[in-house]
Amino acid sequence: MSSTAAFVFPGQGSQSVGMLGELAEAHPRVQQTFSEASDALGLDLWELVSHGPEDELNRTDLTQPAMLAAGVAVWRVLAEQDVPPPASLAGHSLGEYSALVCGGALEFADAVSLVAERGRLMQEAVPQGQGAMAAILGLDDDTVREVCLAAAEGEVVEAVNFNAPGQVVIAGAAGAVERAVAAAKEAGAKRAMTLPVSVPSHCALMEPAADKLAQRLAEVRIAAPTIPVIHNVDVSTCDDPDGIRQRLVRQIHRPVRWVETVQRLADDGVTTLVECGPGKVLAGLARRIDKRVEGKPVFDPTTLAKILG
């Protein structure tokens, strides 16, 4: 598997109360991983993930460490089952931090504290209610960009997540996003709907958060990854710690180029995308992006057994 598999990690939006519960019952490594994250945060993250409340889990400063821990937990379970390491790693948005931990570039405890701070900085940059995100389905990338340009009217609204052909997420000021949703429908979108998020990720409104994140990243030890990690912002790999820092800073206010990431993995010979973490969003997108790639999620004993085959 190792030479033709990549492991990928989901970001915010895949979290849910009770996630990884069945896997944790069968594999103590899951709860142990969350215990490490809890120690780094000073709160019981597994209790929050297991029992909620949901609105607390959906707070971006708590969602981010919870999703990071979930991805790393699945990675560790796979390693315990002697699944060979993959050829490459990648993560969608926040998931890039999980990839860097599993690739040996970031220490887990450091990453937990870092993404909690990242979440706080993002929320501070745009107070709740002032920003929004929306999914646009059924329009090509250029049309979505044109819709955003026309709807901006002096405010920020940008195409920020290129998730699959015909599936683009936009973000920006709440009013501008609302105008863009209406314009996308007029332009023939199959669906255009706002998303239940508190922060307009990956757009220019996040630049103040990026500046503060750069200061925080300067304090964190980063090593060259032992497994190549493809970065969201430029679809590149990087062995230089400062280069990784720069990419993580840019990532917070620049688009997630997921379509190109999967295409690059396919070009590199990857045929299987193993999604480590709750849900199966990235596994579902894989074949829509490139028919050479099959997505396989791992989040419970049944999906794990399919990987072990």
Side-chain angles (χ1 to χ4, degrees), residues 27 36 69 74 135 165 180 201 204 210 212 219-220 225 247 250 263 275 278:
H27 299 276
E36 288 178 43
V74 173
S201 303
K212 293 176 181 175
E219 303 166 358
V220 176
R247 284 164 173 79
R250 286 161 54 211
Q263 289 170 339
E275 181 174 4

Side-chain angles (χ1 to χ4, degrees), residues 33-226:
T33 300
F34 274 86
S35 293
E36 288 178 43
S38 298
D39 290 344
L41 284 181
L43 61 86
D44 192 339
L45 199 58
W46 184 246
E47 173 66 22
L48 175 63
V49 163
S50 299
H51 301 110
E54 186 178 14
D55 59 347
E56 193 84 355
L57 178 59
N58 288 341
R59 262 180 47 192
T60 189
D61 60 317
L62 296 177
T63 305
Q64 296 202 25
M67 285 299 298
L68 173 78
V72 172
V74 173
W75 163 271
R76 290 176 173 179
V77 169
L78 287 165
E80 283 187 338
Q81 304 307 303
D82 295 324
V83 173
S88 300
L89 300 165
H92 188 284
S93 186
L94 168 72
E96 187 168 311
Y97 287 81
S98 303
L100 288 165
V101 170
C102 297
L106 279 170
E107 293 291 336
F108 179 50
D110 288 344
V112 170
S113 301
L114 180 63
V115 299
E117 180 71 7
R118 180 180 183 266
R120 283 191 290 272
L121 293 173
M122 291 168 73
Q123 194 67 75
E124 285 172 9
V126 182
Q128 193 151 352
Q130 293 186 17
M133 299 182 79
I136 311 296
L137 308 182
L139 295 180
D140 63 63
D141 295 353
D142 285 340
T143 302
V144 174
R145 290 188 184 101
E146 289 165 10
V147 161
C148 288
L149 198 61
E153 297 180 12
E155 294 186 302
V156 171
V157 58
E158 301 169 1
V160 296
N161 291 359
F162 296 94
N163 290 333
Q167 183 175 329
V168 180
V169 173
I170 64 173
V177 170
E178 192 176 329
R179 291 191 296 273
V181 165
K185 290 175 181 175
E186 288 178 13
K190 291 178 183 174
R191 293 183 72 188
M193 61 237 174
T194 55
L195 299 174
V197 297
S198 61
V199 170
S201 303
H202 302 293
C203 74
L205 296 178
M206 289 292 108
E207 287 178 13
D211 293 339
K212 293 176 181 175
L213 182 66
Q215 296 171 28
R216 182 70 176 81
L217 278 163
E219 303 166 358
V220 176
R221 180 184 173 275
I222 296 181
T226 55

